[in-house]
């Protein structure tokens, strides 16, 4: 998932005019930063750890408008990926806490004020929330960076503003959800009502904690649903903070309940709960299958899934190589490579392959890795030791399968989970590094000869989340856009995540679409209402 | 399901019937009273005016035996005798069908044809359905047991109507251009998903085929369709007509067979991109689980129901009785949206029960090929036994048996129109889907109560509301957690009206504009733009 258009439009500033919306204020820092960064060496991770300028104020479950301990009293530690040290102990939600949260959400939906409020009132709560997010953007960004390891500049200038932007987008939808009147075959008046589904269960990942929160909570609230949201155990902190802001914005108690905890316990009980009417999950394909199975075996709640990917990034021979290298680098390395839509199979036409590899290597070597709170840093640590080990395992697999390690391949520094920006060339389609989702800073560069071949190879995967296409030819762009079995095709750009653009997967990358008008379907039931007509003036 | 014509005929006195449906069919309801419900099924069984021509699987444009060579008998519900032996599809046949559908999609002409060409094939198919109307109707009735008049005058015409509806959609599937936050041109493409697996039930074999095939084909998908083992015949006939209409080979493949073998193979197939299922909630759960364990194919489910039919105190009782009777007994009670919990306000309850009983006793049961018959046999012995078990259960649990309660005649699967009054919410007959001619009448006092009781079900497929009060109608319409609310009508099934369930009655909507979503993938295409004139 996610990045947002600001990062991409900044990175692609030289190719396309950046939008007035995105060129305001804070954007400038990052832009300047990306020029300055080259001054920092990759050794910065070894320097002293910077203290985040934020307090951890909320570590308890948010249920029915109150922050409460887990029923069991248990807590779990959330760790600083820079060091592996404990940031805070957080309430560990389990089945009983999910039950409590569902009960509160059920009441807020069945009896409570939320779906009975006017859509305009709901939109105003969301707009006030967006204002509060902006007001607290520095604390939120610091907390997000601390818990996740992403760069503070990215959190502050790209992600938190995007959270506010998304909630304003969905606030605008609240009073624009129209049903239809429907032509009948006889003397009937037919209409459809687009109703909220009820209680939505939402399970979000750790790579973009607040953006994924916004993608899920935004449409659910705009459509009048109430929510039980489970955060990832790696990144529980920021959701509690914005949960508090939602209460300040006037959200009634019980409308949004937030449970921190683990997938096998809290997540599973949410997915299999008989009183949860809908489930949305973002995470791995394997877990997505489990979630869908739990829904099937419980109450058949509709499920939207946003899962893994192994997205191709295709550089044609007519592409401007320097721009393609920069964008392919961004497509893979953004957010420490922890994007489900990462451009993790870089297909380069044979005529430009050698030049591309040389320049991609040079770009990766220049990537500035270090403490994410330091200015100008491009890459922080991976989220945790498990992901760190997994990425290192894939790097070893790449070497063993005889891909050429162009750069990187090892840890940065000796503490935390920093990994060197790594580039493999001469990658073959059947190597594990070209098939599995690595979810780390490992670029795999493959060679192709012609369009037919690259279309076939790009589609030869169980995934179908996104694709990048780099070409100046309109015919090539049009042809490849249709042929790729992927939910998003970025042509001469990547990771453009405007609120209005739908996002989601073909094949085993998921079901349904988030963002844009399409996301509303996930949180609405359609009810047909039919009445006979006496002496109608027209049919 | 059902069709509008039935409902408009039954409510002929209530409202003027629509011009589209007043073409054929003079009677159905009026004439029916002339027949007694006692003797009809005991008479000689009428020989259906049709030959069974197709009993093999339809794969890649050809009728073929199953790979195993096995067949199974399809039975005449009037007698339990064999109509024909039909090829029994299994995993290997589903594989062959998927290979054909895959090729027709990945390399073949279907998604590469213009939408206009696809629509013309569907229009020609609709014409052929009309041309073969009586033959198709006879086959449908023979295999299923539903009255021939219902098949010939309502369902088969509705089949043509549904395909014309979807033919019209083929060239009207638009993507969007989307406002971006920056210098990007954003568009969405609405693409066919690929190979759709479709599993249809036996209660409305051809209508369910049209609900499934229509949108899949209009959107450019190819299909592997499994028919119900009780009713394999009519789909094979219309499959031939589809090819006569010019459908390229491999675009629609039809496999007859059983759920645990052929059905499960479709739901768990790694090369099927989407599955749509209509049937019971229990099987729907299995289908979804198979999808989750295989390739996460998108699933739409249209499942069971226990739909409330609510008669408020201000309703015209005679009209309400007739409509409630129709809501439950139509198609031998074998409708997933049957109005199977008749809630009647206490002030009109006694009068309603008396009249509902009288109407049920008047219902003409008999050989479905006989003119004027309202009710034929249940589809098979399994359903027959299940319904009789529920009737015994109703008696045992203390509900008052007002009419019926037993089999009708001595052969086949006929059941007497049965009415229970004094039914309580916690009785099994008020909770389970009986899927037979058994009406259960419950009493209520006020709106709050009936809303709570009507919604207190794991199902949420449909509801009927009978009232003259606008406030009552508006309130109930919003409060009922169901996919269809029919106010002063029931079983209105125009092609444009979406149908589907809340809660455990299913996922997704069929018919209408909403059904297209089930067969389309959304692809966002974003291109960097230079010097845009506007954003």
């Amino acid at each position: 998932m996610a990045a947002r258009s600001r990062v991409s439009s900044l990175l692609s500033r030289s190719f396309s005019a950046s939008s007035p919306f995105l060129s305001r204020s804070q954007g400038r820092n990052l832009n300047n930063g990306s020029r300055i960064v080259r001054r920092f060496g990759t050794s910065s991770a070894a320097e002293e750890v910077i203290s985040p300028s934020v307090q951890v104020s909320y570590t308890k479950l948010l249920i029915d408008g109150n922050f409460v301990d887990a029923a069991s009293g248990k807590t779990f530690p959330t760790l600083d990926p820079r060091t592996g040290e404990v940031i805070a102990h957080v309430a560990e939600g389990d089945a009983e806490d999910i039950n409590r949260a569902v009960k509160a959400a059920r009441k807020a939906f069945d009896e409570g004020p939320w779906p009975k409020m006017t859509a305009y009132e709901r939109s105003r709560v969301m707009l006030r929330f967006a204002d509060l997010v902006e007001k607290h953007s520095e604390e939120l960004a610091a907390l997000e960076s601390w818990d996740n390891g992403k760069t503070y500049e990215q959190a502050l200038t790209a992600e938190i503003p995007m959270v506010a932007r998304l909630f304003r987008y969905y606030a605008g939808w609240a009073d624009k959800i129209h049903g239809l009147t429907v032509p009948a075959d006889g003397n009937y008046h037919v209409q459809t009502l687009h109703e909220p589904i009820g209680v939505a269960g939402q399970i979000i990942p750790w790579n973009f904690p607040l953006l994924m929160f916004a993608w899920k909570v935004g449409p659910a609230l705009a459509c009048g649903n109430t929510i039980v949201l489970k955060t990832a155990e790696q990144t529980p902190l920021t959701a509690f903070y914005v949960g508090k802001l939602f209460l300040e914005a006037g959200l009634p108690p019980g409308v949004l309940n937030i449970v921190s905890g683990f997938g096998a316990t809290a997540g599973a009980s949410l997915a299999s709960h008989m009183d949860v009417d809908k489930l949305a999950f973002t995470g791995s394909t394997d877990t997505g299958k489990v979630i869908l199975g739990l829904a099937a075996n419980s109450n058949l709640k509709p499920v939207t899934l946003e899962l893994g990917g192994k997205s191709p990034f295709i550089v044609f021979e007519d592409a401007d190589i320097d721009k393609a290298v920069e964008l392919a680098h961004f497509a893979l390395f953004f957010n420490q490579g922890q994007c489900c839509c990462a451009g993790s199979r870089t297909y380069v036409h044979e005529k430009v392959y050698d030049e591309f590899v040389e320049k991609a290597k040079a770009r990766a070597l220049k990537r500035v890795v270090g403490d994410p709170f330091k200015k100008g840093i491009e890459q922080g640590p991976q989220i945790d030791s498990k992901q760190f080990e997994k990425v290192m395992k894939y790097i070893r697999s790449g070497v063993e399968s005889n891909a050429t390690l162009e750069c990187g391949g090892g840890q940065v520094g000796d503490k935390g989970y920093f990994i060197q920006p790594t580039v493999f060339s001469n990658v073959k389609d059947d190597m594990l590094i070209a098939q599995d989702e690595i979810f780390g800073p490992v670029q795999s560069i493959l060679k192709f000869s012609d369009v037919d071949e690259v279309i076939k190879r790009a589609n030869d995967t169980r995934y179908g989340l996104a694709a990048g296409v780099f070409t100046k030819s309109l015919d090539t762009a049009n042809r490849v856009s249709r042929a790729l079995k992927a939910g998003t095709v970025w042509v001469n750009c990547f990771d453009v995540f405007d609120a209005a653009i739908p996002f989601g997967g073909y094949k085993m990358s998921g079901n349904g679409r988030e963002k844009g008008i399409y996301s509303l379907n996930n949180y609405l039931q359609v009810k047909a209402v039919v009445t006979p007509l006496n002496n109608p003036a027209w049919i | 399901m059902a069709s509008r014509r039935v409902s408009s005929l039954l409510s002929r006195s209530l409202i003027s019937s629509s011009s589209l449906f007043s073409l054929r069919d003079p009677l159905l309801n009026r004439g029916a009273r002339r027949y007694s419900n006692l003797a009809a099924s005991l008479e000689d069984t009428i020989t259906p005016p049709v030959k069974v021509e197709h009993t093999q699987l339809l794969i890649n444009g050809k009728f073929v035996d199953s790979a195993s060579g096995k067949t199974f008998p399809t039975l005449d519900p009037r007698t339990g005798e064999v109509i024909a032996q039909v090829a029994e599809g299994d995993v290997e046949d589903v594989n062959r069908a998927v290979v054909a559908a895959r090729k027709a999609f990945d390399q073949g002409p279907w998604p590469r044809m213009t939408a206009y060409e696809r629509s013309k094939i569907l229009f020609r198919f609709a014409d052929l359905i009309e041309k073969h109307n009586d033959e198709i109707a006879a086959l449908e009735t023979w295999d299923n047991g539903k009255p021939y008049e219902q098949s010939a005058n309502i369902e088969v015409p509705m089949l043509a109507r549904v395909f014309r509806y979807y033919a019209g959609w083929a060239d009207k599937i638009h993507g969007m251009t989307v406002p971006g936050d920056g210098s990007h041109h954003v568009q969405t493409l609405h693409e066919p998903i690929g190979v759709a697996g479709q599993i249809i039930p036996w209660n409305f074999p051809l209508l369910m085929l049209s609900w499934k095939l229509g949108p899949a084909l209009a959107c450019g998908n190819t299909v592997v369709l499994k028919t119900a083992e009780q009713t394999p015949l009519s789909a094979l006939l219309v499959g031939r007509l589809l090819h006569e209409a010019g459908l390229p080979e491999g675009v629609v493949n039809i496999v007859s067979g059983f759920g645990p073998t052929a059905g499960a193979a479709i739901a768990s197939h790694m090369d099927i991109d989407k599955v749509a299922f209509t049937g019971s909630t229990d099987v729907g759960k299995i289908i979804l689980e198979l999808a989750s364990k295989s390739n996460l194919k998108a699933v739409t489910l249209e499942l069971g129901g226990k739909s409330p039919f609510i008669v408020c105190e201000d309703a015209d009782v005679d009209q309400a009785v007739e409509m409630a009777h129709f809501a439950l007994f139509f198609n031998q009670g074998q409708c997933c949206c049957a109005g199977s919990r008749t809630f009647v306000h206490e002030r009109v309850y006694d009068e309603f029960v008396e009249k509902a009983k009288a109407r049920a006793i008047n219902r003409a049961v008999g050989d479905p090929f006989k003119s004027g018959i309202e009710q034929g046999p249940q589809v098979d012995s399994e359903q027959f036994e299940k319904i009789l078990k529920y009737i015994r259960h109703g008696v045992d649990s203390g509900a008052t048996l007002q009419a019926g309660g037993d089999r009708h005649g001595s052969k086949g699967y006929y059941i007497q129109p049965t009415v229970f009054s004094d039914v309580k919410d916690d009785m099994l007959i008020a909770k389970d889907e009986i899927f037979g001619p058994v009406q259960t009448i419950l009493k209520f006092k006020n709106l709050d109560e009936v809303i709570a009781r009507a919604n207190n079900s794991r199902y949420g497929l449909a509801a009927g509301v009978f009232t003259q009060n606008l406030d009552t109608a508006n309130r109930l319409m919003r409060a009922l957690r169901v996919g269809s609310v029919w106010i002063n009508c029931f079983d209105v099934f125009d092609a444009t009206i979406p149908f589907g369930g809340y809660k455990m009655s299913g996922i997704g909507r069929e018919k209408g504009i909403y059904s297209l979503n089930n067969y389309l993938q959304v692809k966002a295409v974003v291109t960097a733009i230079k010097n845009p004139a506007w954003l």
Side-chain angles (χ1 to χ4, degrees), chain A residues 4 81 89 108 119 131 185 344 357 420 462 522:
Chain A
R4 23 28 77 210
H89 289 275
D131 293 343
D185 286 343
S344 52
V357 169
Q420 292 172 348
R462 65 175 185 156
N522 302 330

Side-chain angles (χ1 to χ4, degrees), chain B residues 102 149 159-160 180 205 273 303-304 309 384 394 414 462 473 535:
Chain B
R102 201 71 262 166
E149 288 174 340
L159 185 67
D273 303 306
L303 308 175
F309 186 102
F384 176 82
Y414 297 89
L535 278 176

Side-chain angles (χ1 to χ4, degrees), chain B residues 52-55 71-76 81-87 142-143 232-233:
Chain B
V52 176
E53 290 179 37
H54 305 294
T55 57
T71 62
F72 66 97
T74 185
L75 308 179
D76 183 339
E81 287 163 11
V82 175
I83 300 173
Q85 294 287 337
V86 177
W142 198 3
D143 219 8
L233 298 178

Side-chain angles (χ1 to χ4, degrees), chain A residues 51-124:
Chain A
S51 286
S53 54
V54 63
Q55 301 281 317
V56 177
S57 308
Y58 307 104
T59 57
K60 293 183 186 184
L61 315 179
L62 177 56
I63 296 178
D64 208 11
N66 299 306
F67 285 99
V68 296
D69 288 323
S72 67
K74 284 209 284 188
T75 62
F76 67 97
T78 184
L79 309 179
D80 183 338
R82 301 176 299 168
T83 58
E85 285 163 15
V86 176
I87 301 174
H89 289 275
V90 177
E92 182 180 337
D94 201 339
E96 196 174 332
D97 305 291
I98 293 290
N99 287 342
R100 286 194 292 166
V102 170
K103 209 172 157 192
R106 198 76 262 165
K107 191 172 165 225
F109 185 82
D110 293 336
E111 302 154 36
W114 194 242
K116 295 181 174 67
M117 212 178 254
T118 66
Y120 177 50
E121 286 176 280
R122 285 202 300 273
S123 77
R124 294 190 60 193

